[in-house]
Amino acid sequence: MTKRSIIQIDEQLCNGCGLCISPCAEGALELVDGKAKVVKEELCDGAGFCLGVCPVGALTLDIRDADPFSEQAAEPIKAQKEQHYIAQMCSFCRILEDDAYLLPIKHKGKALWACTHCLPRLIHQ
Ligand code: SF4
């Protein structure tokens, strides 16, 4: 165990939509009995890419004692997920993440992706 940043899931808020599963490249999150769960602490690197997509704010980063992240354990899962990965697209101009950098954003309770071309326009709206 080591004190580190790791995802915390509020089960009361989680509605089981599953939107957080795909952004986690390491496969740390799965739906279990209709709720998101960190299936193995060693797979969560605490990067927080899942945070922005949760429509109900059920995900936060916590600093607590947890198993250390294991790149070795995550690598085969990352390789497997990459084979079936569906590229995300900007919610505004529809450009794919293969062709632009995408950032998770939220607006009026919706989880969206914004590319770096559209983001400045949104900032100045
Ligand atoms: S995105 Fe949020 S509400 Fe949906 S499954 Fe993940 S934690 Fe639950």
PDB file of all heavy atoms in Angstrom, residues 93-112:
ATOM      1  N   CYS A  93     -17.466  20.043 -33.759  1.00  0.00           N
ATOM      2  CA  CYS A  93     -17.131  20.016 -35.194  1.00  0.00           C
ATOM      3  C   CYS A  93     -16.988  18.594 -35.729  1.00  0.00           C
ATOM      4  O   CYS A  93     -16.780  18.398 -36.924  1.00  0.00           O
ATOM      5  CB  CYS A  93     -15.854  20.800 -35.465  1.00  0.00           C
ATOM      6  SG  CYS A  93     -14.366  20.004 -34.825  1.00  0.00           S
ATOM      7  N   ARG A  94     -17.093  17.586 -34.828  1.00  0.00           N
ATOM      8  CA  ARG A  94     -17.065  16.166 -35.190  1.00  0.00           C
ATOM      9  C   ARG A  94     -15.692  15.667 -35.656  1.00  0.00           C
ATOM     10  O   ARG A  94     -15.586  14.580 -36.203  1.00  0.00           O
ATOM     11  CB  ARG A  94     -18.118  15.813 -36.268  1.00  0.00           C
ATOM     12  CG  ARG A  94     -19.478  16.433 -36.086  1.00  0.00           C
ATOM     13  CD  ARG A  94     -20.092  16.236 -34.743  1.00  0.00           C
ATOM     14  NE  ARG A  94     -20.637  14.898 -34.542  1.00  0.00           N
ATOM     15  CZ  ARG A  94     -21.130  14.487 -33.371  1.00  0.00           C
ATOM     16  NH1 ARG A  94     -21.128  15.292 -32.328  1.00  0.00           N
ATOM     17  NH2 ARG A  94     -21.599  13.284 -33.251  1.00  0.00           N
ATOM     18  N   ILE A  95     -14.639  16.446 -35.468  1.00  0.00           N
ATOM     19  CA  ILE A  95     -13.313  15.952 -35.831  1.00  0.00           C
ATOM     20  C   ILE A  95     -12.932  14.819 -34.859  1.00  0.00           C
ATOM     21  O   ILE A  95     -13.276  14.863 -33.670  1.00  0.00           O
ATOM     22  CB  ILE A  95     -12.260  17.095 -35.816  1.00  0.00           C
ATOM     23  CG1 ILE A  95     -10.983  16.646 -36.518  1.00  0.00           C
ATOM     24  CG2 ILE A  95     -11.958  17.542 -34.393  1.00  0.00           C
ATOM     25  CD1 ILE A  95      -9.999  17.791 -36.780  1.00  0.00           C
ATOM     26  N   LEU A  96     -12.265  13.796 -35.386  1.00  0.00           N
ATOM     27  CA  LEU A  96     -11.893  12.647 -34.563  1.00  0.00           C
ATOM     28  C   LEU A  96     -10.622  12.927 -33.775  1.00  0.00           C
ATOM     29  O   LEU A  96      -9.767  13.706 -34.204  1.00  0.00           O
ATOM     30  CB  LEU A  96     -11.690  11.417 -35.440  1.00  0.00           C
ATOM     31  CG  LEU A  96     -12.955  10.857 -36.092  1.00  0.00           C
ATOM     32  CD1 LEU A  96     -12.589   9.769 -37.091  1.00  0.00           C
ATOM     33  CD2 LEU A  96     -13.915  10.302 -35.049  1.00  0.00           C
ATOM     34  N   GLU A  97     -10.475  12.242 -32.664  1.00  0.00           N
ATOM     35  CA  GLU A  97      -9.280  12.424 -31.832  1.00  0.00           C
ATOM     36  C   GLU A  97      -8.003  12.011 -32.551  1.00  0.00           C
ATOM     37  O   GLU A  97      -6.910  12.387 -32.144  1.00  0.00           O
ATOM     38  CB  GLU A  97      -9.402  11.646 -30.522  1.00  0.00           C
ATOM     39  CG  GLU A  97      -9.453  10.148 -30.712  1.00  0.00           C
ATOM     40  CD  GLU A  97      -9.513   9.398 -29.395  1.00  0.00           C
ATOM     41  OE1 GLU A  97      -8.541   9.452 -28.638  1.00  0.00           O
ATOM     42  OE2 GLU A  97     -10.545   8.756 -29.139  1.00  0.00           O
ATOM     43  N   ASP A  98      -8.140  11.227 -33.624  1.00  0.00           N
ATOM     44  CA  ASP A  98      -6.955  10.871 -34.423  1.00  0.00           C
ATOM     45  C   ASP A  98      -6.393  12.103 -35.136  1.00  0.00           C
ATOM     46  O   ASP A  98      -5.225  12.131 -35.514  1.00  0.00           O
ATOM     47  CB  ASP A  98      -7.312   9.819 -35.478  1.00  0.00           C
ATOM     48  CG  ASP A  98      -7.729   8.510 -34.843  1.00  0.00           C
ATOM     49  OD1 ASP A  98      -7.324   8.256 -33.691  1.00  0.00           O
ATOM     50  OD2 ASP A  98      -8.472   7.749 -35.478  1.00  0.00           O
ATOM     51  N   ASP A  99      -7.247  13.108 -35.338  1.00  0.00           N
ATOM     52  CA  ASP A  99      -6.843  14.277 -36.110  1.00  0.00           C
ATOM     53  C   ASP A  99      -6.740  15.560 -35.283  1.00  0.00           C
ATOM     54  O   ASP A  99      -6.411  16.619 -35.823  1.00  0.00           O
ATOM     55  CB  ASP A  99      -7.844  14.502 -37.251  1.00  0.00           C
ATOM     56  CG  ASP A  99      -7.932  13.270 -38.142  1.00  0.00           C
ATOM     57  OD1 ASP A  99      -6.875  12.708 -38.458  1.00  0.00           O
ATOM     58  OD2 ASP A  99      -9.061  12.857 -38.476  1.00  0.00           O
ATOM     59  N   ALA A 100      -7.077  15.475 -33.999  1.00  0.00           N
ATOM     60  CA  ALA A 100      -7.016  16.668 -33.137  1.00  0.00           C
ATOM     61  C   ALA A 100      -6.940  16.221 -31.678  1.00  0.00           C
ATOM     62  O   ALA A 100      -7.282  15.085 -31.360  1.00  0.00           O
ATOM     63  CB  ALA A 100      -8.256  17.535 -33.347  1.00  0.00           C
ATOM     64  N   TYR A 101      -6.501  17.121 -30.834  1.00  0.00           N
ATOM     65  CA  TYR A 101      -6.501  16.842 -29.397  1.00  0.00           C
ATOM     66  C   TYR A 101      -7.890  17.146 -28.856  1.00  0.00           C
ATOM     67  O   TYR A 101      -8.460  18.199 -29.141  1.00  0.00           O
ATOM     68  CB  TYR A 101      -5.457  17.698 -28.677  1.00  0.00           C
ATOM     69  CG  TYR A 101      -4.047  17.320 -29.052  1.00  0.00           C
ATOM     70  CD1 TYR A 101      -3.341  18.046 -30.012  1.00  0.00           C
ATOM     71  CD2 TYR A 101      -3.430  16.217 -28.465  1.00  0.00           C
ATOM     72  CE1 TYR A 101      -2.056  17.683 -30.364  1.00  0.00           C
ATOM     73  CE2 TYR A 101      -2.141  15.849 -28.819  1.00  0.00           C
ATOM     74  CZ  TYR A 101      -1.467  16.587 -29.767  1.00  0.00           C
ATOM     75  OH  TYR A 101      -0.200  16.225 -30.125  1.00  0.00           O
ATOM     76  N   LEU A 102      -8.434  16.216 -28.062  1.00  0.00           N
ATOM     77  CA  LEU A 102      -9.755  16.408 -27.470  1.00  0.00           C
ATOM     78  C   LEU A 102      -9.648  16.550 -25.956  1.00  0.00           C
ATOM     79  O   LEU A 102      -8.836  15.872 -25.325  1.00  0.00           O
ATOM     80  CB  LEU A 102     -10.668  15.218 -27.773  1.00  0.00           C
ATOM     81  CG  LEU A 102     -10.996  14.921 -29.225  1.00  0.00           C
ATOM     82  CD1 LEU A 102     -12.044  13.809 -29.289  1.00  0.00           C
ATOM     83  CD2 LEU A 102     -11.506  16.146 -29.952  1.00  0.00           C
ATOM     84  N   LEU A 103     -10.488  17.407 -25.398  1.00  0.00           N
ATOM     85  CA  LEU A 103     -10.536  17.601 -23.951  1.00  0.00           C
ATOM     86  C   LEU A 103     -11.955  17.334 -23.469  1.00  0.00           C
ATOM     87  O   LEU A 103     -12.911  17.754 -24.123  1.00  0.00           O
ATOM     88  CB  LEU A 103     -10.165  19.040 -23.599  1.00  0.00           C
ATOM     89  CG  LEU A 103      -8.778  19.487 -24.048  1.00  0.00           C
ATOM     90  CD1 LEU A 103      -8.697  20.996 -24.076  1.00  0.00           C
ATOM     91  CD2 LEU A 103      -7.737  18.915 -23.121  1.00  0.00           C
ATOM     92  N   PRO A 104     -12.109  16.661 -22.319  1.00  0.00           N
ATOM     93  CA  PRO A 104     -13.457  16.463 -21.790  1.00  0.00           C
ATOM     94  C   PRO A 104     -13.956  17.746 -21.143  1.00  0.00           C
ATOM     95  O   PRO A 104     -13.238  18.386 -20.376  1.00  0.00           O
ATOM     96  CB  PRO A 104     -13.265  15.343 -20.745  1.00  0.00           C
ATOM     97  CG  PRO A 104     -11.842  15.458 -20.332  1.00  0.00           C
ATOM     98  CD  PRO A 104     -11.077  16.041 -21.492  1.00  0.00           C
ATOM     99  N   ILE A 105     -15.174  18.145 -21.455  1.00  0.00           N
ATOM    100  CA  ILE A 105     -15.767  19.329 -20.830  1.00  0.00           C
ATOM    101  C   ILE A 105     -17.207  18.995 -20.426  1.00  0.00           C
ATOM    102  O   ILE A 105     -17.774  17.997 -20.882  1.00  0.00           O
ATOM    103  CB  ILE A 105     -15.774  20.557 -21.770  1.00  0.00           C
ATOM    104  CG1 ILE A 105     -16.595  20.276 -23.037  1.00  0.00           C
ATOM    105  CG2 ILE A 105     -14.364  20.969 -22.136  1.00  0.00           C
ATOM    106  CD1 ILE A 105     -16.839  21.525 -23.851  1.00  0.00           C
ATOM    107  N   LYS A 106     -17.783  19.838 -19.592  1.00  0.00           N
ATOM    108  CA  LYS A 106     -19.178  19.643 -19.200  1.00  0.00           C
ATOM    109  C   LYS A 106     -19.943  20.935 -19.418  1.00  0.00           C
ATOM    110  O   LYS A 106     -19.405  22.029 -19.256  1.00  0.00           O
ATOM    111  CB  LYS A 106     -19.251  19.218 -17.737  1.00  0.00           C
ATOM    112  CG  LYS A 106     -18.573  17.873 -17.509  1.00  0.00           C
ATOM    113  CD  LYS A 106     -18.809  17.363 -16.129  1.00  0.00           C
ATOM    114  CE  LYS A 106     -20.135  16.639 -16.128  1.00  0.00           C
ATOM    115  NZ  LYS A 106     -20.294  15.803 -14.920  1.00  0.00           N
ATOM    116  N   HIS A 107     -21.224  20.787 -19.824  1.00  0.00           N
ATOM    117  CA  HIS A 107     -22.082  21.953 -20.015  1.00  0.00           C
ATOM    118  C   HIS A 107     -23.517  21.545 -19.750  1.00  0.00           C
ATOM    119  O   HIS A 107     -24.012  20.572 -20.334  1.00  0.00           O
ATOM    120  CB  HIS A 107     -21.942  22.475 -21.453  1.00  0.00           C
ATOM    121  CG  HIS A 107     -22.732  23.722 -21.721  1.00  0.00           C
ATOM    122  ND1 HIS A 107     -22.531  24.898 -21.036  1.00  0.00           N
ATOM    123  CD2 HIS A 107     -23.727  23.958 -22.598  1.00  0.00           C
ATOM    124  CE1 HIS A 107     -23.358  25.813 -21.480  1.00  0.00           C
ATOM    125  NE2 HIS A 107     -24.108  25.272 -22.420  1.00  0.00           N
ATOM    126  N   LYS A 108     -24.161  22.251 -18.847  1.00  0.00           N
ATOM    127  CA  LYS A 108     -25.551  21.983 -18.484  1.00  0.00           C
ATOM    128  C   LYS A 108     -25.773  20.508 -18.166  1.00  0.00           C
ATOM    129  O   LYS A 108     -26.747  19.892 -18.622  1.00  0.00           O
ATOM    130  CB  LYS A 108     -26.493  22.443 -19.602  1.00  0.00           C
ATOM    131  CG  LYS A 108     -26.468  23.955 -19.808  1.00  0.00           C
ATOM    132  CD  LYS A 108     -27.433  24.397 -20.872  1.00  0.00           C
ATOM    133  CE  LYS A 108     -27.396  25.913 -21.008  1.00  0.00           C
ATOM    134  NZ  LYS A 108     -28.215  26.428 -22.092  1.00  0.00           N
ATOM    135  N   GLY A 109     -24.840  19.933 -17.437  1.00  0.00           N
ATOM    136  CA  GLY A 109     -24.966  18.541 -17.003  1.00  0.00           C
ATOM    137  C   GLY A 109     -24.551  17.508 -18.025  1.00  0.00           C
ATOM    138  O   GLY A 109     -24.534  16.319 -17.739  1.00  0.00           O
ATOM    139  N   LYS A 110     -24.226  17.965 -19.261  1.00  0.00           N
ATOM    140  CA  LYS A 110     -23.812  17.021 -20.306  1.00  0.00           C
ATOM    141  C   LYS A 110     -22.299  16.891 -20.326  1.00  0.00           C
ATOM    142  O   LYS A 110     -21.581  17.881 -20.182  1.00  0.00           O
ATOM    143  CB  LYS A 110     -24.268  17.501 -21.687  1.00  0.00           C
ATOM    144  CG  LYS A 110     -25.731  17.299 -21.950  1.00  0.00           C
ATOM    145  CD  LYS A 110     -26.007  17.632 -23.401  1.00  0.00           C
ATOM    146  CE  LYS A 110     -27.485  17.468 -23.707  1.00  0.00           C
ATOM    147  NZ  LYS A 110     -27.834  18.058 -24.983  1.00  0.00           N
ATOM    148  N   ALA A 111     -21.800  15.655 -20.521  1.00  0.00           N
ATOM    149  CA  ALA A 111     -20.372  15.416 -20.701  1.00  0.00           C
ATOM    150  C   ALA A 111     -20.078  15.468 -22.192  1.00  0.00           C
ATOM    151  O   ALA A 111     -20.700  14.752 -22.974  1.00  0.00           O
ATOM    152  CB  ALA A 111     -19.992  14.065 -20.127  1.00  0.00           C
ATOM    153  N   LEU A 112     -19.170  16.353 -22.596  1.00  0.00           N
ATOM    154  CA  LEU A 112     -18.862  16.583 -24.006  1.00  0.00           C
ATOM    155  C   LEU A 112     -17.363  16.495 -24.236  1.00  0.00           C
ATOM    156  O   LEU A 112     -16.569  16.573 -23.292  1.00  0.00           O
ATOM    157  CB  LEU A 112     -19.363  17.977 -24.428  1.00  0.00           C
ATOM    158  CG  LEU A 112     -20.828  18.296 -24.161  1.00  0.00           C
ATOM    159  CD1 LEU A 112     -21.074  19.787 -24.275  1.00  0.00           C
ATOM    160  CD2 LEU A 112     -21.730  17.526 -25.108  1.00  0.00           C
TER     161      LEU A 112
END
